[in-house]
Amino acid sequence: MRRLVVALCVLLFCLTITNSTAIARDVLRFGVITLNHPLVMYRHYLPFTDYLAKRLGIEIELVLAADYQGIVDAMAEERVDIALLAGVSYLKVQETTATRLICAVRSQEGTPTSRSAIVVRADRQDIRSLHELKGHSFAFGSKDSTSSYLGPLGYLVKHGITPEDFSHWQNFRTHDAVIRALLRGKVDAGAVSKEALAKFPAESLKVLAITPQLPGFVLVSTANVPEALHARLQTLLLNLNYQDPELASSLERWSPMLRAGFTGVDESHYAPVQKLMQELEAQGFYGDKR
């Protein structure tokens, strides 16, 4: 009798675990980095997740990570199932978490890449070229940002300008914070993505340089997402029908970053980012040697 009771308990435990897993798979947790006010993030991403949920027939929960490291931790700790990542964050996730690429986000130029802008306030007549940045203050975005730190830093170093050439330099949490600091005169120059720059009046800022393309954002899933669901999501995003009235109605409410659509990429997509990181680390301008 005791053996029967133990066997029934073990069976019940296994059924509970199986059922819990099935319930968990009924909700797909989608993680994004909070780069704006949380209300803005919800307004930009809930229409996207609602559209996916309806098409996939599964509930999708939007999870906002506080910062770049937050999304890396959320994936490692299995608090999200899929995530929107770029450059440095993607490479850091790969070190801790088994992931599968879903697709890349197309930029407004139609490529799975992004460019950065090095800018000053429009009324700064004393700064008209990159080399006139020397001796002035400079603002980058987060140290984990590809398009407002790694990419622009690499571009400046390539053109003979190192952080030591600035009177002082600092990192801000977001691209928008960099631009606001510029407009308020707190810093003389800064680096942001072209997408962030487009949100501010063109006449208020002067562009000194546009960097070469680097890989942009990608969507990835963790190993917890069933392969069949991963494949359905990938197929859905890569085959969006822009003539569909339902999609058109939803699309205009998505984050501007997502409206140009998606394209396929493989694991080699972020090789240029890895290479740039290694080059700057070897020169002592990035990572632990910085």
Side-chain angles (χ1 to χ4, degrees):
M1 175 66 69
R2 181 176 299 173
R3 289 181 179 178
L4 177 60
V5 171
V6 171
L8 287 173
C9 288
V10 170
L11 177 61
L12 181 60
F13 176 77
C14 292
L15 289 174
T16 301
I17 293 296
T18 302
N19 190 50
S20 297
T21 302
I23 291 173
R25 291 279 66 79
D26 287 342
V27 178
L28 197 62
R29 297 160 300 180
F30 176 64
V32 294
I33 302 167
T34 304
L35 295 178
N36 285 297
H37 190 282
L39 290 178
V40 175
M41 296 297 296
Y42 281 114
R43 188 170 71 243
H44 279 173
Y45 285 93
L46 282 178
F48 175 66
T49 56
D50 287 348
Y51 177 82
L52 296 184
K54 183 175 181 180
R55 290 292 176 146
L56 294 172
I58 186 171
E59 182 181 347
I60 298 181
E61 176 188 352
L62 182 62
V63 179
L64 300 183
D67 51 28
Y68 291 87
Q69 186 59 45
I71 197 72
V72 175
D73 294 339
M75 296 203 78
E77 296 164 8
E78 299 184 356
R79 288 184 279 113
V80 297
D81 303 303
I82 58 177
L84 183 64
L85 303 172
V88 176
S89 297
Y90 174 77
L91 294 173
K92 290 179 75 171
V93 164
Q94 291 297 87
E95 295 176 357
T96 61
T97 311
T99 63
R100 289 172 294 189
L101 279 170
I102 299 172
C103 57
V105 178
R106 280 200 184 102
S107 69
Q108 295 303 315
E109 298 175 350
T111 65
T113 58
S114 66
R115 295 179 186 268
S116 304
I118 296 173
V119 296
V120 298
R121 209 165 65 182
D123 60 0
R124 291 299 298 264
Q125 299 303 315
D126 57 327
I127 308 177
R128 294 164 295 178
S129 68
L130 285 182
H131 286 281
E132 289 178 322
L133 291 172
K134 294 182 178 181
H136 292 284
S137 58
F138 197 91
F140 292 103
S142 167
K143 291 180 180 179
D144 288 321
S145 172
T146 308
S147 55
S148 63
Y149 185 53
L150 177 67
L153 176 61
Y155 184 81
L156 289 169
V157 169
K158 183 178 179 180
H159 287 81
I161 303 169
T162 71
E164 287 74 19
D165 290 318
F166 301 127
S167 60
H168 73 272
W169 63 280
Q170 62 190 108
N171 293 91
F172 287 83
R173 197 178 74 83
T174 67
H175 298 243
D176 288 3
V178 170
I179 295 178
R180 285 194 293 268
L182 275 170
L183 295 177
R184 293 168 182 167
K186 294 183 177 180
V187 292
D188 299 317
V192 294
S193 68
K194 285 186 66 180
E195 291 77 11
L197 183 62
K199 294 188 292 184
F200 291 81
E203 64 274 12
S204 62
L205 294 163
K206 177 168 56 180
V207 177
L208 299 182
I210 298 293
T211 67
Q213 294 179 337
L214 276 177
F217 281 87
V218 289
L219 282 164
V220 302
S221 69
T222 68
N224 289 332
V225 177
E227 190 171 340
L229 180 56
H230 171 94
R232 286 175 59 210
L233 177 57
Q234 186 177 57
T235 299
L236 173 61
L237 291 173
L238 293 179
N239 296 279
L240 291 174
N241 178 10
Y242 293 94
Q243 306 304 315
D244 178 13
E246 181 182 358
L247 174 59
S249 174
S250 176
L251 191 67
E252 64 184 15
R253 294 181 289 117
W254 292 6
S255 164
M257 186 170 63
L258 302 177
R259 293 176 193 169
F262 307 87
T263 188
V265 291
D266 59 28
E267 294 295 335
S268 66
H269 182 57
Y270 276 118
V273 177
Q274 183 75 67
K275 181 182 178 183
L276 181 57
M277 290 171 66
Q278 292 171 345
E279 290 174 349
L280 291 174
E281 285 174 354
Q283 297 174 69
F285 297 127
Y286 189 79
D288 294 337
K289 296 182 180 180
R290 186 180 63 250

